[in-house]
Amino acid sequence: RRSSDLADGMETSTILPRHTQETYLSLSEYFRADGLRDLVDEVNAVCERELNEIPLNARLSSDDVMGVVAAVRAALELEAPSGVPRSWTGLVVPSAVPADNRLRELILETIDILESERFAAVVSETLDCAFDFLSAGISTAIERAQCGGVIPFAKLIPSMANLSNRVLAAGEDGLLKRLEGTWMQRCG
């Protein structure tokens, strides 16, 4: 059945007006068009800031690289320089709150969810999985280089670029597949 058929059969007092629903659902468009771009820009800026300090000929061990990865994660999770945990709400919900009371209530409920401890725990676990994925890939690249446990930074860059492609890969070795497995185990 089509969703419009289902909505027609429901009591009108239990559902929001179509315009309010459509406007609220358009928040996903805001996230896709603006918030996601802002997130990618922030990740790129943090990575550039951390990686620009490393000379291309620097020979890095796994521990050196993991230190850089940890610094990137810390910078992404905290509002610099205050050390306060970052709020990602602005990436999902536009800052302007609409005049429509019902829509405002939905948006404020969404903000409450995004700023809750449970949501923070989910984000933290997702980041754990993502950074574990990244760490494993970097360790593998260093091992494959067979450079006695160290690798010139310039040689590591292509492997890191390959990892970024695998992050969103749909195959069995992609991060999204690992996240799916993690959440399936957790949620039963």
Side-chain angles (χ1 to χ4, degrees):
R1 295 175 68 176
R2 293 184 10 210
S3 59
S4 60
D5 295 338
L6 294 172
D8 291 340
M10 297 177 74
E11 291 181 39
T12 55
S13 63
T14 61
I15 61 171
L16 295 168
R18 183 176 302 275
H19 173 73
T20 302
Q21 289 180 41
E22 290 171 355
T23 304
Y24 179 74
L25 293 173
S26 72
L27 291 177
S28 64
E29 177 62 23
Y30 171 81
F31 173 68
R32 190 195 62 72
D34 296 325
L36 195 55
R37 183 185 62 237
D38 292 347
L39 175 61
V40 169
D41 289 348
E42 176 73 13
V43 169
N44 283 336
V46 167
C47 289
E48 283 180 23
R49 186 174 60 242
E50 295 297 328
L51 297 176
N52 280 341
E53 300 294 319
I54 304 171
L56 289 174
N57 63 351
R59 298 184 61 77
L60 304 173
S61 69
S62 252
D63 289 341
D64 296 331
V65 177
M66 293 308 113
V68 172
V69 169
V72 166
R73 179 173 180 169
L76 288 172
E77 290 181 323
L78 300 176
E79 293 281 358
S82 66
V84 174
R86 179 182 304 278
S87 170
W88 298 100
T89 304
L91 297 174
V92 180
V93 180
S95 58
V97 179
D100 179 310
N101 285 336
R102 288 182 178 171
L103 186 56
R104 184 178 318 121
E105 287 174 20
L106 284 172
I107 290 173
L108 291 175
E109 285 180 34
T110 301
I111 290 170
D112 285 346
I113 291 168
L114 294 172
E115 294 178 350
S116 71
E117 287 183 26
R118 287 184 69 192
F119 187 80
V122 168
V123 170
S124 181
E125 287 185 39
T126 301
L127 287 173
D128 288 345
C129 190
F131 280 92
D132 288 348
F133 180 85
L134 180 63
S135 297
I138 290 171
S139 294
T140 300
I142 291 172
E143 288 170 17
R144 285 184 182 160
Q146 297 177 345
C147 303
V150 295
I151 186 170
F153 182 52
K155 267 186 117 172
L156 188 58
I157 293 172
S159 296
M160 292 171 71
N162 184 38
L163 270 175
S164 67
N165 292 332
R166 285 185 42 221
V167 164
L168 298 176
E172 291 298 317
D173 66 342
L175 173 62
L176 294 179
K177 195 66 170 175
R178 287 189 188 187
L179 283 172
E180 178 185 341
T182 298
W183 290 110
M184 292 300 285
Q185 285 178 335
R186 185 162 196 253
C187 300

